[in-house]
Amino acid sequence: MGRHLWTKLALSYLAIAVIAVGLAALLFNFALSKQFMGYVEEKQRLKDEEIITLLSSIYEKDGQWNPQRLRDVMNLWMMSGKEITLLDSEGRQVMDCRDSMEEMGSGARQRMSRMGMMCGWEWSRGGWNEAPPKEKTQSSPVTKATPSNIEGRRIPVYVGERKVGTAVIRPVGDEEIFSLQDKSFQATVNRWLWGVALGAGGFALFISLGIARHLSRPIQDLTGAAQGLRNGDLTQRVKPKGKDEIGQLANAFNHLAESLERQEKYRKRLTGDLAHELRTPLANLQTHIEGLIDGVLPLTPENLISIHEEILRLGRLVGSLEELNRAEASRLNLKREKADLKILVERTISQCQPRYFDKDVGLRVSLPEPSIELSVDRDKISQVLNNLLSNALKFTPKGGSVQVAARRKDGEVEITVRDTGIGISEKDLPFIFERFFRGGNGENGAKGLGIGLTIAKELTEAHGGKIEVKSALNRGTEFTVRLPLRL
Ligand SMILES: Nc1ncnc2c1ncn2[C@@H]1O[C@H](COP(=O)(O)OP(=O)(O)OP(=O)(O)O)[C@@H](O)[C@H]1O
Ligand SMILES: [Mg+2]
């Protein structure tokens, strides 16, 4: 049971719902009982007042207490669940309704004294409780009480200003203030209340199961996909539902899986590319050296230069891989020093100029006057520019042009390298800074390992800067390097 997230969720929702419904039912019961008690007491008070007014009018009619008249009305009150003892102005008992009832016979007496116990519920301070079964003998005894020890609510009876007696009023049979109807009403409300609470609990169970399933489904999907990924299936993706945290988690997972899949693809392609890059110079070296050994090739300076070039090519390849390694570690060991932007850019450009000249690609420069002073690792920034310039040259056909510009903007230095080359397709654009990525599946004929821009990005970010790209296919590309102006 406890193993699944959805069962845990469902159980917690259910617990919360049951506690809330239970509490609400208890509070409602408490408030209702209190209100009802107040209502019943008010009803009693009004009834008592009615009795006193009637007694007063009886006395007023005869100028004294007339037992015959009193007996008639007292019997009537007994029927409505009240016992009364009437005392005269001196405190002597004039009439007790039990006496009057004795005269009516035992059948009627028993019926009346049982009133108030028939519904089986009685009120006590704690709320509504089932009444304990009453002994049969309890319902009928009529004991004579002396005027002073009679219990009940004592209300004086006045005629005008004159006190003519006192009425002692109490409920019939027991010390209860609730009538049969009151008790039955309370019992019905209680039954409904607990019935509704039970229904609400059942409904809460149903809803909590549904919500728990709905909430845990995307997490289950994610868990399944993550396990698939762990087992080596990099094509695993989940459908993000909604924009909440789970939706964001699903998006992040998909992003991670895509990135892993891409990296894996690049890694495999790099192995192939590296083998190819290594095989060509190695094969050239082998043919040259075998030719020299066999005496087919003469040991001339030209043949030695050829061998030397192949060795340099191999060296460059290994050097590129080392560079990438260094760039990735460069965040930790930057050698910042004051540098003049103009001098830095011009020096880098002068290194590339011959290659531009050879390919017949124009190179124009526009630098700010006066120059800007930067605090950077000169070699690293020069390498960033170098990588951008060699890309621009590599991907710009003969006769095209490249423009380098620098300016100060919003507390930053902005260096742009814009070319009129082949451009980058929209499909490739998001990936060009990734390790070993080569545009057009590396089929555009241009040589390289796909690490120049990764190095440029690493080095720029190590300086707290940013590198951005804009490109239009067959129209050209613009790289922008932003460096914070920190001295
Ligand atoms: N100026 C540019 N014009 C068109 N495409 C470009 C340009 N610069 C980069 N690219 C695209 O971005 C890819 C990645 O560039 P990056 O410099 O990282 O690798 P590379 O030049 O292919 O190889 P390397 O720099 O390792 O010799 C390139 O293969 C190319 O498709
Ligand atoms: Mg490059």
Side-chain angles (χ1 to χ4, degrees):
M1 272 285 271
R3 269 179 54 216
H4 297 292
L5 179 67
W6 76 269
T7 48
K8 286 184 188 167
L9 278 176
L11 283 178
S12 28
Y13 290 146
L14 187 65
I16 293 168
V18 166
I19 291 170
V21 169
L23 261 178
L26 277 177
L27 285 176
F28 181 75
N29 184 278
F30 176 71
L32 182 80
S33 301
K34 228 175 148 185
Q35 279 297 105
F36 194 66
M37 184 80 171
Y39 160 76
V40 169
E41 274 172 0
E42 180 63 13
K43 215 172 74 179
Q44 296 287 340
R45 202 183 54 75
L46 290 174
K47 221 183 219 176
D48 293 353
E49 266 172 22
E50 248 173 56
I51 293 172
I52 300 302
T53 316
L54 197 57
L55 279 175
S56 158
S57 71
I58 287 173
Y59 189 94
E60 204 175 8
K61 212 168 263 176
D62 300 320
Q64 59 173 5
W65 292 117
N66 179 339
Q68 183 52 48
R69 247 194 253 280
L70 283 172
R71 198 169 293 126
D72 291 345
V73 290
M74 284 218 175
N75 288 344
L76 213 68
W77 288 329
M78 282 287 288
M79 296 293 284
S80 68
K82 288 278 176 184
E83 276 187 2
I84 301 172
T85 306
L86 182 63
L87 309 177
D88 66 11
S89 54
E90 312 284 290
R92 289 183 304 260
Q93 180 169 323
V94 176
M95 171 137 314
D96 186 274
C97 61
R98 295 187 189 212
D99 299 338
S100 98
M101 198 167 59
E102 266 177 352
E103 288 163 26
M104 292 168 60
S106 66
R109 200 176 60 233
Q110 277 185 6
R111 218 171 34 249
M112 285 186 208
S113 62
R114 271 203 306 272
M115 284 176 73
M117 286 305 296
M118 284 170 72
C119 81
W121 290 82
E122 66 182 15
W123 168 260
S124 71
R125 270 191 179 278
W128 288 97
N129 295 314
E130 202 160 8
K134 300 275 170 177
E135 306 248 328
K136 264 199 171 171
T137 49
Q138 245 187 323
S139 59
S140 60
V142 176
T143 44
K144 282 254 179 186
T146 58
S148 57
N149 69 7
I150 296 170
E151 282 187 13
R153 198 173 159 219
R154 287 171 177 263
I155 311 172
V157 184
Y158 285 94
V159 171
E161 297 286 287
R162 192 159 68 93
K163 183 181 171 188
V164 294
T166 304
V168 186
I169 305 174
R170 61 195 171 275
V172 171
D174 304 280
E175 292 296 313
E176 290 173 33
I177 60 165
F178 292 109
S179 70
L180 184 66
Q181 289 96 325
D182 294 340
K183 289 176 175 184
S184 136
F185 171 76
Q186 281 278 6
T188 311
V189 168
N190 272 324
R191 269 199 301 276
W192 267 99
L193 189 63
W194 290 114
V196 167
L198 222 76
F203 186 64
L205 174 68
F206 180 70
I207 294 287
S208 56
L209 281 177
I211 294 180
R213 273 241 178 249
H214 176 76
L215 282 183
S216 61
R217 171 77 33 88
I219 297 179
Q220 280 174 342
D221 292 350
L222 262 171
T223 313
Q227 272 163 355
L229 206 66
R230 191 187 64 185
N231 295 335
D233 180 5
L234 300 181
T235 59
Q236 289 283 348
R237 301 287 183 278
V238 283
K239 264 196 199 135
K241 288 175 193 139
K243 290 185 175 165
D244 57 6
E245 283 83 351
I246 295 181
Q248 288 170 16
L249 183 64
N251 276 325
F253 175 86
N254 286 346
H255 197 266
L256 179 75
E258 263 164 38
S259 163
L260 278 175
E261 196 183 2
R262 239 188 353 258
Q263 287 294 332
E264 181 65 8
K265 203 171 86 194
Y266 300 156
R267 193 186 58 75
K268 282 184 183 153
R269 205 178 66 192
L270 173 79
T271 319
D273 287 355
L274 257 184
H276 179 262
E277 292 287 316
L278 286 172
R279 196 180 308 115
T280 321
L282 278 177
N284 286 346
L285 275 176
Q286 193 178 353
T287 355
H288 273 90
I289 291 171
E290 278 173 2
L292 287 175
I293 292 169
D294 297 344
V296 183
L297 281 179
L299 192 61
T300 57
E302 289 77 34
N303 284 333
L304 284 177
I305 286 169
S306 229
I307 291 174
H308 186 235
E309 269 172 7
E310 295 303 340
I311 291 172
L312 286 182
R313 196 167 154 186
L314 277 175
R316 273 200 303 276
L317 200 66
V318 176
S320 301
L321 291 173
E322 274 175 355
E323 246 173 58
L324 176 64
N325 230 0
R326 270 202 304 274
E328 285 174 340
S330 68
R331 283 171 203 258
L332 302 173
N333 48 27
L334 271 191
K335 286 192 214 105
R336 279 183 191 269
E337 50 199 341
K338 278 190 185 155
D340 183 293
L341 178 70
K342 198 169 171 217
I343 298 174
L344 187 66
V345 175
E346 276 173 350
R347 195 169 288 163
T348 315
I349 284 177
S350 67
Q351 287 164 6
C352 305
Q353 202 95 52
R355 284 185 281 141
Y356 271 74
F357 186 76
D358 286 349
K359 193 174 172 184
D360 190 18
V361 173
L363 182 55
R364 283 179 290 135
V365 192
S366 139
L367 295 169
E369 284 294 346
S371 184
I372 303 166
E373 203 168 56
L374 294 171
S375 166
V376 290
D377 187 325
R378 281 188 219 148
D379 289 345
K380 302 278 180 341
I381 295 300
S382 174
Q383 192 179 353
V384 172
L385 285 179
N386 218 326
N387 287 5
L388 295 181
L389 283 170
S390 64
N391 276 354
L393 179 65
K394 184 156 54 170
F395 298 106
T396 303
K398 190 171 179 251
S401 71
V402 174
Q403 181 169 13
V404 181
R407 61 176 178 148
R408 183 196 292 255
K409 195 188 168 196
D410 305 332
E412 286 177 330
V413 171
E414 199 180 78
I415 307 168
T416 51
V417 177
R418 188 184 308 142
D419 64 53
T420 56
I422 60 170
I424 304 168
S425 73
E426 251 179 62
K427 181 171 73 66
D428 287 348
L429 210 54
F431 311 117
I432 56 167
F433 294 104
E434 291 202 14
R435 240 179 271 130
F436 310 123
F437 178 86
R438 289 167 67 205
N441 292 324
E443 285 154 10
N444 52 21
K447 292 201 170 147
L449 289 174
I451 58 175
L453 285 180
T454 315
I455 291 174
K457 184 169 184 270
E458 287 288 337
L459 294 178
T460 309
E461 287 177 358
H463 281 84
K466 260 185 172 179
I467 183 162
E468 286 158 14
V469 60
K470 278 190 248 164
S471 186
L473 210 54
N474 300 323
R475 303 230 327 257
T477 307
E478 178 183 300
F479 282 94
T480 307
V481 176
R482 291 179 215 285
L483 294 171
L485 257 179
R486 212 173 62 185
L487 292 172

